[in-house]
Amino acid sequence: MSGTQADSASKRSLGTVAMKWHGDTLELLDQRLLPNEERWLSHGSALEVARSIREMVVRGAPAIGISAAYGVALAARGAGRDRWRQDIEAGINALAESRPTAVNLFWALNFMSDILAGCDTQANAIGRLAEGAIQIHEDDIKANLAMAGHALDIMDDKTPFSVLTHCNTGALATGGYGTALGVIRRLHEAGRLKRVFADETRPWLQGSRLTAWELMRDNIPVTLNADGAAGWILNQNEVKWVVVGADRITANGDVANKIGTYSLAVLARHHKVRFMVVAPSSTVDMSLASGKEIPIEEREGLELREIRGTAIAPEGVDVFNPVFDVTPASLIDAIVTERGVVHNPNMTGMKQMFGQPQRA
Ligand code: MRU
C-alpha cells in the first residue's frame, strides 16, 4: 500500500492518509506536530514502530493495528539468519507492549503470529508477513467504506442535520476514510450534512489538532467546540446524532473510547440525541464479558500540566490522566461495523453479529 488518496474501486477520496508502506520501510505522518507541521518519519524496525505507537506519532485504534502489522513485516526483514523466528517474536512482543487499550493492536498481532506460525523459512516469512500487513490495511479501508453505507441507512432524518463527534476517527486514525469520520464524510458526499461539531478532546487535542484539520482539508463544514460546550450544543436541537469511534467493544456492547466519550453519551441520552459507535469488527473483543475488564491506559500528568512545553497548571500539581473511558451499552443506540448494525446493543445482539464470546 502506498499513501494513496483515492480508493481505486470507487474513486472516493480516502482523506489524508497517515501511513505509507515502501516494502522495506514504513513512513508515518507525525501526528504530534499537526496541524503546525507535516513531517513524515521513516521506520525500519519493529522497535521503531513500537516507539512511535507509544509516543503517539501514530494513534487511533485501527491505525495502531495496521502500523503494528507493518512493524512485524519489518521485524522479518531485520531478523538474524539463524534466529529469525525468535527475532520476529521479540518484535511482536515489543509491539504488544506499546499501548494497552485498543484491541486492534492485539488483533493485528495475532493475525500476524498466525501467519508466522505457517512460515518455514525467513524468505517465506518476509514475503508472507508483508502481504498480511497489506491485507490488514486494505481490509480496514474496505470496512470503513462499508460501515459508512450501513450508518447512512439507519440515519433516517429527511433534511440535512448536524452531528457531534469526539477525538479523531478519520483517515489519520485508520487505513483511510475513517470510522465515525467516514460516516461524516459519506453524509457530506450525500448532501445530508449541515455541519460537524468537533469536540476539541482534551488533553491531547485530537479534535482540534486533527479532526478540524482533516475536515477543513476536505471542505467538510466543521465547527470546533470546547469539550465542556457539548451539553449546551446538544441542548440547542441542531445535532441529531453523536457519532464516535471505539478502541474496544466487549461482548455485552460496552465501548471503550477516548476519555470524554462517556460524558457525551450521558449528555446525548438526556437530550434525546441518538448515539452511534462506528468501528470495524477488529475492535470487537468477544473474550471480555464487559467494559469493566478493559485495561484503561493512563498517561503522564505532563499532558495536562503543559501544552507544547508551556505550563498551564501549577508546577507539580497531582494529575489523574486516564485517556479512555467506558460507555455502557445501555447508553448506545447503534454499534455499526462492516458486518452490519447492532441496535440497542446487549450480549444477545453482539453474539448474533460476532458469535459466541471466547475467553482469551
Ligand atoms: O489516544 P488515541 O488518539 O489513540 O485515541 C483514539 C480514539 O479514542 C479513537 O476514537 C478510536 O481509536 C477510534 S479511531 C478510528
Side-chain angles (χ1 to χ4, degrees):
M1 286 290 299
S2 67
T4 49
Q5 307 266 317
D7 167 41
S8 55
S10 64
K11 293 282 177 278
R12 230 175 211 127
S13 165
L14 295 178
T16 305
V17 294
M19 59 184 81
K20 295 178 192 165
W21 173 242
H22 297 297
D24 56 354
T25 51
L26 174 69
E27 270 194 291
L28 295 172
L29 180 58
D30 190 342
Q31 299 192 30
R32 299 168 303 181
L33 305 179
L34 293 173
N36 304 18
E37 191 186 335
E38 285 175 54
R39 189 189 299 169
W40 288 85
L41 299 182
S42 182
H43 301 75
S45 72
L47 292 190
E48 286 171 11
V49 176
R51 184 172 174 187
S52 277
I53 294 173
R54 190 167 44 252
E55 296 182 357
M56 297 185 59
V57 168
V58 62
R59 30 68 48 202
I64 290 171
I66 298 163
S67 305
Y70 283 127
V72 177
L74 292 172
R77 296 183 71 88
R81 248 201 239 167
D82 301 329
R83 35 172 300 119
W84 59 272
R85 190 179 294 280
Q86 293 96 309
D87 284 354
I88 299 170
E89 282 165 356
I92 292 174
N93 291 339
L95 287 157
E97 293 292 311
S98 57
R99 288 190 78 188
T101 304
V103 77
N104 308 60
L105 171 66
F106 307 101
W107 176 89
L109 293 176
N110 283 341
F111 184 91
M112 298 299 278
S113 296
D114 287 348
I115 294 177
L116 177 61
C119 296
D120 48 10
T121 64
Q122 184 176 8
N124 188 223
I126 290 172
R128 288 183 57 194
L129 290 171
E131 279 165 22
I134 291 167
Q135 186 189 330
I136 289 177
H137 192 168
E138 289 181 346
D139 286 351
D140 186 66
I141 295 170
K142 282 187 202 143
N144 290 339
L145 294 168
M147 290 188 290
H150 296 318
L152 260 68
D153 286 345
I154 63 164
M155 294 169 127
D156 50 6
D157 313 75
K158 300 283 175 269
T159 51
F161 57 94
S162 295
V163 302
L164 188 145
T165 193
H166 192 69
C167 195
N168 172 269
T169 61
L172 294 173
T174 64
Y177 203 66
T179 57
L181 230 57
V183 171
I184 288 167
R185 238 179 247 291
R186 187 69 61 83
L187 280 172
H188 179 67
E189 288 165 16
R192 295 179 58 193
L193 181 72
K194 199 161 155 196
R195 64 172 155 162
V196 184
F197 287 97
D199 272 0
E200 69 170 346
T201 317
R202 287 279 295 145
W204 211 73
L205 303 173
Q206 285 93 335
S208 51
R209 296 194 306 100
L210 309 178
T211 298
W213 182 76
E214 258 200 81
L215 292 175
M216 285 179 77
R217 286 192 124 197
D218 292 334
N219 294 313
I220 298 175
V222 57
T223 301
L224 178 65
N225 60 272
D227 295 346
W232 188 239
I233 292 169
L234 297 187
N235 177 275
Q236 312 296 303
N237 252 336
E238 179 181 335
V239 170
K240 300 299 176 210
W241 287 87
V242 171
V243 190
V244 297
D247 285 80
R248 199 183 291 227
I249 304 174
T250 53
N252 66 341
D254 288 351
V255 168
N257 191 45
K258 181 52 51 193
I259 191 76
T261 304
Y262 169 51
S263 326
L264 210 48
V266 173
L267 287 170
R269 186 53 55 95
H270 178 78
H271 292 97
K272 300 188 172 50
V273 172
R274 285 161 296 174
F275 193 90
M276 177 188 285
V277 174
V278 188
S281 56
S282 53
T283 306
V284 174
D285 182 354
M286 293 297 281
S287 76
L288 300 188
S290 83
K292 289 196 185 77
E293 298 178 40
I294 300 175
I296 298 293
E297 178 181 8
E298 285 182 34
R299 294 183 70 88
E300 52 180 339
L302 215 59
E303 290 187 352
L304 273 112
R305 287 194 213 101
E306 292 184 357
I307 290 186
R308 296 221 155 121
T310 302
I312 55 160
E315 202 183 326
V317 66
D318 185 42
V319 167
F320 176 47
N321 186 22
V323 299
F324 298 99
D325 57 26
V326 175
T327 298
S330 58
L331 292 177
I332 298 168
D333 292 292
I335 294 177
V336 179
T337 74
E338 77 281 11
R339 298 193 196 172
V341 180
V342 182
H343 293 275
N344 306 314
N346 57 22
M347 182 77 82
T348 310
M350 290 294 290
K351 270 201 243 171
Q352 273 166 8
M353 189 70 76
F354 301 104
Q356 285 298 326
Q358 303 199 329
R359 304 304 295 185

